[in-house]
Each structure stands twice: as structure tokens, then as C-alpha cells.
Amino acid sequence: MQPQQFLDLVQCAFFESNTQRSSAEQVLLKYKDECPDEFMVYCAQAFSNRGIQNRIRVACSTLVKRLVGLIHPPSNQITWLACSQQTKNDVKLKFMEQLIDPENTIRRSAANTISEICAIELPRQEWPDLISRLTTNSKHTDILIKVSAIMTLGYICEALKTHQSSGISEQDSKVILMGICVGMDLNEQTLEIRLTAIKALQDSLYFMNNLFKQQEIFTYVKNLILSNAICNIQEVKHKALQCLIDFVKQLFTFLPAFINELFQTTQASFENQGEISIAAIEIWNTICAEMKEEITQNGNQQTPESNAVDCCVQFFKKNYEGFLLPFMRNLLLDSGDVDDEYQGLSVPDSSCKGLAFIIDFAGVNTYELVKNFIQNTLTHQQWEYRKASVMAFGALAEVQTKEIEILIKSALSNLFTCLIDQHYKVKKATAQTLSRVAENYPQCFHEHDQANHMLATLLDQLNNKISIVQHLIWVFVYLTEQLQLFSNSIFNREKFTILQHLASTSVRADIKNSEIALIDTAFMAILNIIYSVTDTKLCNDYLIQFFQQIQLLESGTQVPAEIKYHLEMGLMSAMHGCVVRLDDSTTPESVFESIMKTLSNVDSRVKNDYFYVLSGIAYAFKKKLSKYSSQLIGELNKPLSEPDDMESFKTALFCLADIARAMEEEFVPYMNILNYFFGLIKNPNFNRELKLQVYNAIADIILGLKEKSFQFLGDLKEILKLGFAASMDLTKSQQNVDQDYAERLKETMTSFYTCILHAYCEPNIPNFDLRDTVDWFIIFCTEMCSLKLKPTIEYVRLTLCCIFDCSHFFQTVPEMKIKLKDFITSDFVIELIRKMSQFNDKDYQECVSFAKQLLNDVYGFQLKLY
């Protein structure tokens, strides 16, 4: 390929129409695989050529950045490593030269691509002089060189973080940190250098934890960033506060050492400074979020993180007024034009979130202060005060305590007056707050003496603006989640009225594409109501109504395509919720036939949802299903033959498995599809995630067919052995991604083997063709369920159940009984049972009881749990 041809392809791949673009992309990818050296050299030459359009130069740089880490199929290593050393040196040189290009976009692009190459080379101790060259240049007198060096250091850290690579030594980390900090010096006069250095520090924090254990370094960097956060230059101040958000997250355990300084630095920025106030408040919101996560994960364990949590809690209890008062005053601000498509954080939103956090951690002492603010503003003449009152109420509702529940119950009816307020923003804030109350305190609605009036108001307000209704729909989602717990509630008694209103709301003509989530949310509430229904006649009635709505949509009714798509998805889910509560006796044949005919013609984009409904139909209408089996399996063949469309393939696979289980022996005419599935499992290039689903589908099919599928036993044993071997091999891998997959594969294979046993064995009638598989399984589970690997307790249960099945099916075979006795009474299995006995869950305790009985009755072994 000639250089100009290459540039033409780049132009086409990045800037032409979809059809041409796709073709050009494929040619470039093929060229990258066939001629990696030439490909990289052409990219570097074009990027360094200032006579070429900047957008083409940046595109060539982007190609290198995106492709260096992709696998090069011929060599089975990443593309960068497949290139010659000469090519790599030439490419690096040309990109380094562009760090001083006059154009900022070119400099940034060069820094970005260099960082991606570094993420590959630095962990391999390659390009050893780069860090020292960049840190030297970070002190250069030429501003352009200085800015580019600092920017590149930051991008390198960001790339290494993205690749989750430690990549650099502690000494290099220290050199990078000091090089970055030079640009943050308070005496630095060039704004671009200050801003670039702060961003670079933000990107480098991922690597600096160990360095910050050195008191001198921590104090130096901490003082530097706090000083920049009170700078008179607004851009520097804002950037430093944003950096502190990551700083407190990454260095959470260091908070006890500087929490007072942090408060003094940020407190002055809490109010009246727009995006600077947001950044200052988000620092504390981040701290509180980290505290919540730490409490959730580690409970009462004593760790450096828990010590930091304790320190912060005590600090909030002493200083809560310093947060609550400015945060509540911020609620009086206007959030801006709420109908804008882009809604980022606003000062009131950040303050409301912060208010909830401080109430939660500072505790009961804050309640009176917040309550007084709500009471003093709820009926104020100015709408800003009423909105602020409602938002404060919402913050209070985020915290779940008995005292707050009492406060909410007493004030909830007053809150409803704000839902019918004259001002739009008060209404919207009230709808948001009501959804918070419904989520955290549903009983306050269900048990309220004015619940009837509340329901009537909520249903009436579903006619309001969509931006308000979006939040009210969530109120119904939360209130319908556990209707069975509130049998006397008006929301339970009138659930069908609610359902009708939700259905009407989902088809409102004024819903725009940007508001389409409302439809999905409405159907979440509808499904909650359906799941609460036990009357099969009602389920059948609703099934017909939902089906008729689909008929209406498919009849050519003028509904925008996206709206129709989401309506059909919701209706399909609702139909599934109905059918799983029905059976062959509940739905007339004529209705069933009409349903099947209509569903098969739905929009191709909802085919996955259609297959989901078919799974439910297979579960419910087993007798009616066989008449349509040829049609259904014919429809499933297309997505099953196209595994590249992973979602459709998986959904069709689940559907086929459900149909096979429902049809049982009637599935025999279609069982040769197992040969296709065996081929997928044996294909080393087939997506391994999908292999897990294929194993599960095969298991379902053979459980339905049982001895009718015995002809496939040879292939079943082959893929069983393949799966066992792959699990054991991948467990030994050094790659986290392989180890994670091995965990899922071993669970799949244990379940798969259990299904094989149940499909082909009968109690006391062993299948002699499966005897050798018991030996394989013993080797497999001894290695994969070793307590040294810290298996989950659920996997221990799964393994023990499979071991007991082996005993159940083969104990009448003399030589097998001896082998199984030696295994089941071995220290390995006994330790698994003892591990299980430490858990109080009913399923686990039943498994332990069964084990004790089996060991005693069959093998004459007295199990001692301790």
C-alpha cells in the first residue's frame, strides 16, 4: 500500500459516511494485522507531517493509540510487540518530536499516544530514559516544552491506571510526582502550566499511595494542592478543588491527618461561587460516599479505613453546622433551566446530597436544625423558599431512622400541598422528594390516615408535565414493590386503578424521545402490580389487554419508532409476568393462537423480548406449545446461527432450553441441534463467555430428553472433560481475567455434570458408561474446591451435592462404592462439610444434615463437625 492510499483510507474511516467508513475501517484493520510495521510507520510519518491537515494527523495518532494494545492474530501478541524494534524506535521518536508542535491539539494527541505506548513498555522495563527526559523538561525554561512534558507525565499515569498496571518503580513515581509539582508551584506565572500540572497530579494519584506514606512527601503535596485550592485565580482554584475530589478518594486513610485543614480550605467556597462551590461540596460528598462504602464492606473491623471513618464521623458531629447552614442556604438558589437536555450537577443538587450525608453521619443533633428550616420555608411566599424546604425534606428522607420516620409521617400531608403548587420548580422538587420518601419510607404512604387523598392527588398529577411525571412514576414503582406487606393499604386495594393510569401515562402523545425512560419506569410499576396478583383470571384478563395493545401498535398506528419500541418491550415484559401465572386450562385455544400469530410479527428490535415471552409460554402452556414447536424453533435458528450478536444469541439459547424442558420427549425431532452446540464448545475460537451459556442450554435439553438423547453421550463426555480441564488450567493463570472466568466455568461444569447424572442415571440403576466420569469429577473437585482457593460457600454446597449424587447413583457398584467411600470420608470432603456447617442458612444446614445421614447410613462413618 502506498502512503497516499493509506491517508485516503484514514480520511474515509474517520470522516466519511457510514457505509464507506465501515469498509475503510475493515481494510485498515486487515492492513494492521498483515503489515504491522508499515502500518505504524505510515501513521507516524503522517502525524509528524505538518503539511497534512491537522484532523488527519490526529486521526493517525488516534489509530496508533487505539491499535497498539489490540491483539495481532498472526503472532497472538499485542500489535505493538509484533513490530520490529526499528519501527518502535522510529514511531516513538516522531511522536516525541510532536510534543513541541505549535498546535495544542497535536501536542495533546502526541502525549496521549505516547502514554498508551508507555503503558505497554514501562512494565517491561523498556523506554527507560523517558521518565527522566520528561521530568527534566518539566523544569525547562521554554513554556511549550514545560507544558508538554507535564501533560505527558499526567497522561502516562492515566494510561497506566486505565490498564491497571503498576508499571513504574517507586523511584520513577517520585521523579514523576516532583516533576508535576514543579508546575504547581505558587510562583508559577503561566496559567496553562499550573492547570496542566494540577490535572497531571490528579491522573498520577493512583500510583502515589506508597509515596505518601513518607511524611515529607505527603505534607509537601498536600500543602501544595490546598494552597492552589485557595488561589485568587478562579481557573486554578476550580481545577485544584476538582483534584481534591480524587485526592480524598485515593488517600481516604490519610484524612485524619488533614481533615481540619481541608475544612478550612473548602468552607469559604461552599456558597456563591457556582462551579467552584460544586467542586468544594463534592469533595465532602466523596468523603461521605467512601465512608458509606467502607462501613458496608468491612462493618466493625478495625482497619486504617475504619479509623478514617471514625475520625470523619467525630468531625461531622462537632462541625455539622458549618456544613448544614451553607448547604441549606444553597437550596434557595435556582437550579437553572431544568428543561435543558443537558442537566449536570447544580449547587442546590450537590448541596442537597451533602445535606443528606451530614444528617446521616452527624446524627440526631442535626434533625432539629433541618426541621426548623423546613417549617420556616414550607409556606413562604417566595417559591425559592418553598422549593428549598421540599429539597431539605428530601435530604432528610435519604436517612433511615425511627425519629425521621415520625417526622415524615407528621409532615407528609403538608408536602402534598407543594405537589399542587403554582410554581413548576416547586412541583418538580416535590415529585423528586416524594420518590425518595416512597423508596425509603413506603410505610408512611401506606399507613397514613390521608392515604386516599394522597393517591387521588398522585393519580391526578400524572397529567402534569412529563418532567414532573417522571418522578411520580418512581413513587408508584416503590409503593408497589411490596404490596403484600400492606394488604389494607389503599395503594393495594386500588392497584388495578393505578395500573390503568400507568398504562395511560405510558402512551401519552407528548412523550419525547429524550423522555422515553418514563415508559420503561411505568412498566416497572405495572410489573410490580402483576407480580402481586394471585388470581389467574385477572392475570389472563391482563394478558389479553396487553396483547391487544401490541396488536394495536402492530396495526399501523402512528407512533414514533422509538416510542413504539419501548412500549412493545414493556408490554412483552408485562405479558411474561402474566403467562408465568397461567397454565393450559386458563387461556382459550383461539386466544392463544391469536397471541402466537401476533407476537411472531413484532418489530425485529424486540425479538429478544419476544423470546423472553416464549420462555414464559413454554413454562405455562406446555400442552399448547407443541403445535407451534416447528414455527418457534425455526424462528430461533437465525439468532442461534449468529453468535456474534451475543445478546440475541443468549436470549434465543435460553428460550430454546425452556422450550426443550417443556416439550420433554416431544423435542426429539429437534435434538440434532445438540451437534451444533457441541461444535461451538469444541471450537477454540468461539466466545468463551457464550460457552458457559451453551453448557447450560445443553444441560436443560438433555434433562428434558433423558434416555432419548443417550446417543449423544460420547460428545457429552468429551465436552465435560474439556470443561474440567479448562477450569483447572485457567485457575493457574496469572491473569485476573482468566481466574475470574475459571471461577464461573467451574460452577458451570459442576452443574453440568450434575445434570448429566440426573439425565442418564436412576437410583440403584447405575449407568456404566458414566463410571469413568466419576474419576474425572473427583480429580476436578479436589483441585477446584480446595479450601486453599477460598471457594464461595455456594460453590462448596454445589460440589457437595454433586458428590452426594455420585454416591446416590453408583453406590450399588462394588468397586465404585469402595472408591466413593474413600473419597467421601477423606479429609478433603469432611473439611468441606465442616466449612458448610459454619453457615446458618437453611439450605446449607440441610446439606450438612444430609451429609451426616449419608455418611452414617451408607458408609458407617460418624461425622464430627468440630
Side-chain angles (χ1 to χ4, degrees):
M1 186 183 293
Q2 296 302 308
Q4 188 55 51
Q5 286 178 284
F6 180 81
L7 290 179
D8 291 341
L9 280 171
V10 172
Q11 164 84 26
C12 195
F14 279 83
F15 307 110
E16 298 302 332
S17 66
N18 288 340
T19 307
Q20 293 172 303
R21 179 183 301 164
S22 177
S23 175
E25 285 172 351
Q26 292 306 311
V27 173
L28 284 171
L29 285 171
K30 185 179 179 184
Y31 184 47
K32 181 265 297 183
D33 289 340
E34 292 176 353
C35 310
D37 286 276
E38 196 169 281
F39 181 94
M40 290 296 170
V41 168
Y42 279 173
C43 284
Q45 286 175 345
F47 183 60
S48 63
N49 186 345
R50 294 181 186 177
I52 294 174
Q53 282 183 320
N54 279 350
R55 69 174 191 165
I56 300 294
R57 293 174 70 191
V58 171
C60 288
S61 175
T62 303
L63 275 175
V64 176
K65 182 179 187 298
R66 287 180 185 171
L67 300 180
V68 286
L70 293 185
I71 290 294
H72 176 245
S75 63
N76 201 29
Q77 58 183 334
I78 59 175
T79 300
W80 183 250
L81 299 180
C83 295
S84 69
Q85 192 58 50
Q86 182 62 49
T87 295
K88 290 190 280 191
N89 291 341
D90 289 348
V91 170
K92 289 189 290 189
L93 178 62
K94 283 185 165 38
F95 275 89
M96 287 294 287
E97 288 171 349
Q98 304 320 302
L99 286 175
I100 54 170
D101 190 280
E103 293 288 336
N104 185 44
T105 53
I106 300 297
R107 295 198 302 274
R108 285 191 177 279
S109 187
N112 245 314
T113 301
I114 288 167
S115 70
E116 200 66 25
I117 294 169
C118 278
I120 296 168
E121 293 210 339
L122 289 181
R124 293 174 169 79
Q125 282 74 54
E126 296 169 0
W127 212 346
D129 63 333
L130 178 67
I131 300 299
S132 59
R133 285 170 62 189
L134 290 172
T135 48
T136 299
N137 285 345
S138 71
K139 305 175 187 69
H140 207 282
T141 53
D142 186 310
I143 291 174
L144 199 60
I145 294 173
K146 188 172 184 177
V147 169
S148 293
I150 293 170
M151 177 171 62
T152 307
L153 287 170
Y155 280 151
I156 288 170
C157 293
E158 188 176 26
L160 288 166
K161 177 182 176 182
T162 301
H163 288 268
Q164 295 187 322
S165 167
S166 53
I168 46 180
S169 66
E170 185 171 314
Q171 181 56 37
D172 279 343
S173 296
K174 188 181 293 186
V175 171
I176 288 173
L177 183 62
M178 292 305 121
I180 289 169
C181 287
V182 167
M184 291 175 61
D185 191 280
L186 301 182
N187 296 317
E188 176 57 62
Q189 297 300 306
T190 305
L191 179 61
E192 187 181 2
I193 289 175
R194 287 276 286 278
L195 297 177
T196 302
I198 295 170
K199 178 65 172 70
L201 176 64
Q202 195 171 355
D203 291 334
S204 71
L205 291 170
Y206 175 72
F207 298 102
M208 302 304 171
N209 263 12
N210 286 334
L211 281 184
F212 286 129
K213 290 175 183 174
Q214 299 176 36
Q215 187 64 41
E216 270 184 50
I217 293 176
F218 170 72
T219 302
Y220 172 67
V221 176
K222 178 256 299 178
N223 290 341
L224 198 55
I225 188 66
L226 291 178
S227 299
N228 276 277
I230 54 173
C231 176
N232 292 327
I233 303 169
Q234 295 298 291
E235 296 100 315
V236 172
K237 183 177 188 177
H238 183 223
K239 190 68 77 175
L241 288 169
Q242 287 182 316
C243 180
L244 276 169
I245 295 172
D246 283 352
F247 193 82
V248 297
K249 182 179 177 68
Q250 199 66 45
L251 303 173
F252 179 71
T253 58
F254 291 78
L255 271 171
F258 72 105
I259 193 166
N260 286 296
E261 289 175 272
L262 183 65
F263 183 56
Q264 291 162 11
T265 300
T266 56
Q267 189 179 21
S269 298
F270 284 162
E271 295 181 84
N272 305 317
Q273 296 180 56
E275 62 182 7
I276 286 176
S277 292
I278 292 172
I281 296 166
E282 285 301 313
I283 291 167
W284 295 96
N285 288 347
T286 300
I287 290 171
C288 292
E290 288 295 303
M291 292 168 67
K292 272 192 172 294
E293 187 175 342
E294 169 57 27
I295 291 167
T296 301
Q297 287 184 351
N298 294 317
N300 297 321
Q301 293 181 37
Q302 282 298 112
T303 63
E305 288 79 10
S306 68
N307 292 337
V309 170
D310 293 340
C311 167
C312 292
V313 168
Q314 293 308 312
F315 180 82
F316 288 139
K317 286 183 175 178
K318 288 179 185 175
N319 298 280
Y320 64 86
E321 288 189 359
F323 294 96
L324 295 189
L325 294 175
F327 289 0
M328 288 192 292
R329 286 193 291 266
N330 282 342
L331 300 183
L332 295 165
L333 299 174
D334 189 353
S335 299
D337 185 357
V338 292
D339 286 325
D340 281 351
E341 268 190 46
Y342 174 76
Q343 293 183 28
L345 278 173
S346 67
V347 174
D349 289 338
S350 275
S351 299
C352 190
K353 185 166 66 169
L355 189 61
F357 277 135
I358 303 302
I359 293 168
D360 193 6
F361 289 119
V364 68
N365 291 338
T366 64
Y367 299 170
E368 197 64 28
L369 190 61
V370 179
K371 178 185 168 185
N372 289 339
F373 177 82
I374 293 170
Q375 288 176 335
N376 293 335
T377 52
L378 189 60
T379 58
H380 201 281
Q381 287 187 342
Q382 290 178 251
W383 70 265
E384 291 91 345
Y385 285 79
R386 299 195 299 278
K387 186 210 72 164
S389 180
V390 166
M391 291 184 77
F393 198 113
L396 206 58
E398 292 282 7
V399 184
Q400 293 175 279
T401 68
K402 197 65 186 172
E403 295 90 341
I404 290 178
E405 182 182 347
I406 294 168
L407 286 175
I408 287 174
K409 274 187 178 175
S410 65
L412 190 56
S413 57
N414 294 328
L415 189 63
F416 268 81
T417 62
C418 293
L419 188 58
I420 55 173
D421 196 278
Q422 294 301 306
H423 201 283
Y424 162 75
K425 291 183 180 179
V426 177
K427 284 184 179 181
K428 185 180 178 187
T430 306
Q432 288 174 301
T433 291
L434 286 172
S435 70
R436 290 178 180 175
V437 176
E439 181 180 10
N440 294 318
Y441 294 97
Q443 68 274 22
C444 291
F445 286 87
H446 289 295
E447 297 168 356
H448 205 284
D449 56 10
Q450 293 187 39
N452 290 21
H453 171 69
M454 291 175 182
L455 174 58
T457 305
L458 287 168
L459 293 176
D460 180 60
Q461 289 300 310
L462 289 178
N463 297 312
N464 218 309
K465 287 185 176 182
I466 295 294
S467 53
I468 291 173
V469 174
Q470 284 174 320
H471 298 290
L472 295 181
I473 294 289
W474 278 107
V475 175
F476 287 111
V477 171
Y478 296 129
L479 294 184
T480 55
E481 273 182 348
Q482 294 182 306
L483 282 175
Q484 68 277 11
L485 299 180
F486 304 98
S487 56
N488 295 322
S489 165
I490 187 68
F491 293 93
N492 195 6
R493 299 199 307 272
E494 294 295 330
K495 58 188 172 188
F496 303 115
T497 304
I498 294 170
L499 190 150
Q500 295 292 350
H501 277 78
L502 291 169
S504 300
T505 302
S506 70
V507 294
R508 276 178 51 164
D510 57 340
I511 298 175
K512 301 171 187 171
N513 279 358
S514 59
E515 300 161 335
I516 218 158
L518 180 145
I519 297 171
D520 303 334
T521 312
F523 275 100
M524 287 172 65
I526 288 170
L527 276 169
N528 286 342
I529 293 170
I530 290 169
Y531 291 146
S532 74
V533 175
T534 53
D535 186 330
T536 53
K537 183 182 182 306
L538 274 173
C539 283
N540 194 62
D541 290 345
Y542 278 111
L543 172 66
I544 293 169
Q545 286 188 37
F546 294 136
F547 153 64
Q548 288 171 343
Q549 284 297 315
I550 290 180
Q551 275 187 317
L552 195 62
L553 287 169
E554 290 298 326
S555 66
T557 307
Q558 293 301 307
V559 179
E562 278 301 304
I563 301 288
K564 178 187 173 188
Y565 169 52
H566 282 262
L567 282 171
E568 288 195 343
M569 277 201 303
L571 288 164
M572 290 284 190
S573 296
M575 286 184 68
H576 181 272
C578 292
V579 296
V580 293
R581 284 163 173 71
L582 303 176
D583 57 44
D584 283 298
S585 66
T586 54
T587 305
E589 184 67 40
S590 58
V591 174
F592 186 77
E593 188 173 329
S594 185
I595 288 173
M596 295 301 292
K597 184 178 179 181
T598 300
L599 290 185
S600 64
N601 294 318
V602 292
D603 186 326
S604 60
R605 291 189 299 168
V606 293
K607 278 292 182 183
N608 286 355
D609 302 274
Y610 163 53
F611 294 146
Y612 179 55
V613 176
L614 284 186
S615 290
I617 287 172
Y619 172 81
F621 303 118
K622 295 182 181 179
K623 292 178 182 175
K624 289 184 171 69
L625 186 69
S626 56
K627 179 180 174 181
Y628 301 91
S629 56
S630 295
Q631 171 199 328
L632 298 180
I633 291 169
E635 291 178 19
L636 291 169
N637 278 337
K638 185 175 186 299
L640 287 174
S641 66
E642 299 173 351
D644 287 343
D645 183 351
M646 289 179 63
E647 282 310 306
S648 293
F649 178 85
K650 282 195 289 187
T651 310
L653 194 64
F654 294 148
C655 183
L656 180 76
D658 287 336
I659 289 172
R661 284 291 292 270
M663 290 179 67
E664 295 180 338
E665 292 183 4
E666 291 182 13
F667 191 76
V668 167
Y670 314 105
M671 67 181 181
N672 281 333
I673 197 168
L674 285 170
N675 288 320
Y676 171 61
F677 293 151
F678 295 145
L680 295 179
I681 295 289
K682 295 173 188 177
N683 181 354
N685 297 319
F686 182 62
N687 184 291
R688 69 182 187 179
E689 292 295 334
L690 291 181
K691 283 188 180 183
L692 301 179
Q693 314 306 329
V694 174
Y695 270 116
N696 291 332
I698 293 171
D700 278 333
I701 292 169
I702 63 170
L703 277 175
L705 291 167
K706 296 207 168 179
E707 69 276 1
K708 297 290 183 182
S709 62
F710 195 71
Q711 68 192 70
F712 300 105
L713 190 59
D715 287 297
L716 288 166
K717 288 173 66 174
E718 185 179 348
I719 65 170
L720 176 71
K721 203 168 189 177
L722 281 173
F724 281 169
S727 297
M728 291 187 284
D729 285 345
L730 288 168
T731 299
K732 297 166 187 168
S733 170
Q734 299 302 308
Q735 300 294 321
N736 288 339
V737 66
D738 287 341
Q739 291 176 3
D740 290 343
Y741 180 76
E743 286 295 304
R744 283 174 284 131
L745 180 59
K746 75 180 185 183
E747 291 174 5
T748 299
M749 295 315 303
T750 305
S751 296
F752 182 68
Y753 183 51
T754 302
C755 290
I756 289 177
L757 293 175
H758 283 266
Y760 302 118
C761 295
E762 294 288 342
N764 302 317
I765 308 176
N767 185 316
F768 288 94
D769 292 294
L770 286 172
R771 280 185 301 179
D772 52 349
T773 65
V774 178
D775 293 327
W776 304 346
F777 178 66
I778 289 173
I779 295 168
F780 170 75
C781 72
T782 303
E783 187 162 332
M784 300 307 292
C785 205
S786 167
L787 293 179
K788 292 178 182 177
L789 295 177
K790 299 182 179 177
T792 65
I793 194 62
E794 182 55 28
Y795 183 64
V796 171
R797 187 191 69 82
L798 192 66
T799 300
L800 285 172
C801 287
C802 194
I803 292 169
F804 301 154
D805 281 338
C806 289
S807 170
H808 186 54
F809 292 126
F810 290 98
Q811 63 186 352
T812 57
V813 181
E815 70 272 20
M816 294 295 291
K817 184 172 181 178
I818 295 169
K819 184 180 296 183
L820 284 165
K821 179 179 181 180
D822 289 343
F823 179 56
I824 290 177
T825 59
S826 68
D827 289 345
F828 168 75
V829 175
I830 299 304
E831 285 305 313
L832 291 183
I833 298 169
R834 286 174 177 158
K835 181 73 175 176
M836 176 81 68
S837 71
Q838 297 169 14
F839 292 81
N840 293 324
D841 182 90
K842 182 185 173 187
D843 289 343
Y844 301 151
Q845 288 303 314
E846 284 180 356
C847 185
V848 172
S849 297
F850 182 83
K852 289 169 73 173
Q853 186 178 349
L854 175 73
L855 286 163
N856 184 67
D857 295 353
V858 177
Y859 300 108
F861 183 89
Q862 295 292 319
L863 174 64
K864 294 179 181 178
L865 293 176
Y866 304 102

